[in-house]
Amino acid sequence: MLHFGKAQAFCALGLALCLFLVAGGTAMTGADGALTPEQMAKAFGKVVFLSHVNTPDMPIFPGDPTPVMEPEFTVEKDGFYLMSVTMGEHSGTHWGAPAHFNADEKTADMLPATSFVFPAVVIDVRAQVAKNPDYALSLADVQAYEKAHGRIPAHAMVIAFTGWEKRWDNPEAFFNEDKDSVMHYPGIDVAATQWLIDNRALGGLGIDTHGVDPGSDESYATNTALLKGDRIHLENLAGLEQLPAKGAWIVVGGVRNLNGSGSPATVLGFLP
């Protein structure tokens, strides 16, 4: 059961400060080192949500716990409002820790703060996915991106923008199962993933579907290769049309459960 409150707001403010420093801000004003609005505006021009709002009827991976959201206390009766929220760690927009697919890797509580702040690389494969729901972002797509936008920076969150989000409000269409219960939604190819790990110091992979693995890949090859070291995945992202192909930053929030495999997430995009 997860309770959300003021702590997440303070965490977001701290991450924003971290992002400012990473992005090149150096001047600090005031005895307490607080940032002025002008300094923050120089660090990023706009902040956007890249995550869905969690609801009881959102698409849930087959077999995962059904979300339950119920009021525990009300202002009228108790003087304050609080909900009891029960859901799987990989419900809604979420991040996955290395232990999610590799038993000898780090759990959610072991990851450093740097595992949640990334330069964003957005590779648009909507045209390919429109022709083939099983499409997997390929090494050729990565190379075409670099030809158009330059070298992918170290520790980047490389995101496949598939356009699949438009199916979010229809769980049946989102998972797109055939008569044999095989799911058909796009993902990211394991060869492209391994190349990014070996040659670009990859920080993580993101996608607007329920998995960085294509839905039909029940071996989870991409997740297994990705989730090692301090890398994470971001799944069920939303609003990717708000991000430029390069130049934005991503900050990932959530809860750090002891021995956890990941967390439902609020993902923020900081646009230049």
Side-chain angles (χ1 to χ4, degrees), residues 12-185:
L13 288 173
L15 287 171
L17 172 59
C18 173
L19 180 61
F20 174 85
L21 296 174
V22 172
T26 56
M28 304 294 288
T29 64
D32 60 356
L35 295 176
T36 67
E38 291 76 17
Q39 287 172 318
M40 295 180 73
K42 290 179 181 179
F44 47 85
K46 185 179 181 182
V47 183
V48 298
F49 284 115
L50 299 174
S51 45
H52 291 283
V53 174
N54 292 329
T55 64
D57 57 354
M58 64 187 174
I60 296 297
F61 197 83
D64 278 7
T66 300
V68 179
M69 303 175 183
E70 297 177 338
E72 253 341 296
F73 301 93
T74 66
V75 173
E76 294 79 7
K77 180 180 177 182
D78 306 291
F80 64 95
Y81 173 59
L82 184 147
M83 283 206 308
S84 171
V85 179
T86 303
M87 63 176 65
E89 291 179 310
H90 294 260
S91 299
T93 303
H94 61 272
W95 57 265
H100 185 41
F101 277 94
N102 295 288
D104 57 346
E105 292 286 342
K106 292 180 180 178
T107 52
D109 52 304
M110 298 177 179
L111 290 170
T114 49
S115 290
F116 300 95
V117 182
F118 308 90
V121 167
V122 182
I123 303 180
D124 190 340
V125 292
R126 287 177 293 176
Q128 297 93 313
V129 169
K131 299 176 182 177
N132 177 14
D134 294 311
Y135 189 80
L137 183 145
S138 67
L139 180 54
D141 293 320
V142 172
Q143 292 170 336
Y145 173 92
E146 290 202 327
K147 184 176 181 180
H149 302 289
R151 183 183 176 93
I152 291 171
H155 191 64
M157 175 61 65
V158 176
I159 298 170
F161 181 16
T162 74
W164 209 251
E165 178 194 352
K166 64 181 181 292
R167 300 175 179 234
W168 181 253
D169 292 329
N170 183 342
E172 184 176 346
F174 193 75
F175 289 109
N176 198 27
E177 291 186 80
D178 64 21
K179 60 181 179 59
D180 297 315
S181 298
V182 176
M183 294 178 286
H184 296 276
Y185 57 76

Side-chain angles (χ1 to χ4, degrees), residues 213-237:
D213 293 286
S216 59
D217 181 9
E218 298 180 357
S219 72
Y220 305 110
T222 294
N223 260 311
T224 302
L226 171 70
L227 294 180
K228 295 178 181 178
D230 294 339
R231 292 186 294 270
I232 69 169
H233 71 216
L234 292 176
E235 296 176 336
N236 291 336
L237 288 168

